[in-house]
Amino acid sequence: MPSNNDRQRLSAFEVTWLPTLNGPLQAAVLTDTTDQRLADAMTYSLLAGGKRLRPLLTVATLTTVGGTFDKACDWRPVMALELLHTYSLIHDDLPAMDNDPLRRGEPTNHMKFGAGMATLAGDGLLTLAFQWLTATALPAATQVALVNGLAHAAGPNGMVAGQARDVQSEHVNLPFEQLRTLHREKTGALLHYAVLAGLILGNVTEDDRQPYLDFADAFGLAFQIYDDILDVVATPQELGKATQKDAGEAKNTYPGKLGLAGANQALIDTIAAGRAALDRIPAGTDISLLAAFFSYFDTNRVK
């Protein structure tokens, strides 16, 4: 169970950083988009109230390793991940994919702009993300590392592969290890990159990265397990989208495999593994901010 101190620490961090991350966003997208209708579709989903969890993880990692956030150099590279994440949500909601009418309590992009423009909005955000990784005064080696890391996380070795597995596995009873692989790619890859980006920006050597990346992988798995649980126990009003869809579409989920109690125990165990990874970080590093991210998960939702 997350402590009040963890919740307060994460809340204070969000209050400090969300205005910095969100403030320039609309103007920056409009600057880089020449068609107004396309810009409207891109910003409609981008500004629809997301938690900015992924860029916040990047900034938290950068802070933890002793780096500093230079808004002139770092803002676009950090927020590039949010552009890419938003593209994935737009495409995931499309009629050819999950065909969802609501996202964050509002009509999904294709419901507002049509499937064609929604597809193009996702395409625009995806490609702009990589432009933003290099629209910066960061050293060339840093830019290359960020581009390579995000391409790997988002592409056919990561998120896209996970989406492909998800599409193919409906009405198929996946073995548990294959389900873990699907989740690691579909959900975990971008969260892994969020931490990796902070390590790259903070000039952490590859030899010193593993505990942070193990934390990221545990956080990513916990995020997916928790999402599966909320699809069962939360209301549409809480989530801002339809619930109970996974079972109706015969998707492979942790509650479907383990039951709600088993899924909740898997969540608890995964959080413990993530905390253990943080404990492997050398003494003298304040890991409390990264640990506070686990307060995102309420393990008491299952009674």
Side-chain angles (χ1 to χ4, degrees), residues 98-157:
D98 285 352
N99 196 25
D100 277 319
L102 290 176
R103 169 73 66 176
R104 296 166 181 160
E106 298 294 334
T108 47
N109 202 288
H110 68 273
M111 297 295 289
K112 178 83 171 177
F113 294 93
M117 187 57 71
T119 301
L120 293 171
D123 293 343
L125 290 166
L126 167 62
T127 49
L128 186 58
F130 287 96
Q131 178 182 323
W132 279 15
L133 291 178
T134 57
T136 174
L138 289 169
T142 302
Q143 295 180 37
V144 169
L146 290 170
V147 168
N148 183 65
L150 185 54
H152 189 275
N157 285 303

Side-chain angles (χ1 to χ4, degrees), residues 47-231:
L47 303 177
K51 296 179 288 294
R52 309 301 185 219
L53 178 64
R54 291 153 189 82
L56 284 170
L57 260 177
T58 298
V59 175
T61 302
L62 178 61
T63 301
T64 298
V65 301
T68 56
F69 183 90
D70 182 339
K71 192 170 183 180
C73 285
D74 298 336
W75 181 81
R76 272 183 170 82
V78 167
M79 288 306 287
L81 178 55
E82 194 66 15
L83 299 186
L84 196 140
H85 172 60
T86 303
Y87 124 76
S88 75
L89 299 181
I90 293 173
H91 281 198
D92 195 42
D93 289 336
L94 285 169
M97 299 289 283
D98 285 352
N99 196 25
D100 277 319
L102 290 176
R103 169 73 66 176
R104 296 166 181 160
E106 298 294 334
T108 47
N109 202 288
H110 68 273
M111 297 295 289
K112 178 83 171 177
F113 294 93
M117 187 57 71
T119 301
L120 293 171
D123 293 343
L125 290 166
L126 167 62
T127 49
L128 186 58
F130 287 96
Q131 178 182 323
W132 279 15
L133 291 178
T134 57
T136 174
L138 289 169
T142 302
Q143 295 180 37
V144 169
L146 290 170
V147 168
N148 183 65
L150 185 54
H152 189 275
N157 285 303
M159 182 186 69
V160 172
Q163 289 281 34
R165 292 181 198 274
D166 195 32
V167 168
Q168 296 173 83
S169 65
E170 287 185 17
H171 305 284
V172 176
N173 185 18
L174 283 183
F176 197 74
E177 282 308 308
Q178 289 186 29
L179 178 61
R180 288 175 64 91
T181 298
L182 187 160
H183 285 169
R184 183 173 65 249
E185 293 171 341
K186 180 182 176 181
T187 303
L190 289 191
L191 290 164
H192 179 101
Y193 171 78
V195 172
L196 175 62
L199 299 173
I200 292 170
L201 292 169
N203 298 310
V204 176
T205 66
E206 292 190 17
D207 289 343
D208 294 328
R209 293 176 183 177
Q210 199 57 53
Y212 295 95
L213 297 177
D214 289 345
F215 152 75
D217 291 340
F219 185 86
L221 179 56
F223 187 93
Q224 183 59 61
I225 296 171
Y226 193 56
D227 191 63
D228 286 354
I229 290 171
L230 290 180
D231 185 69

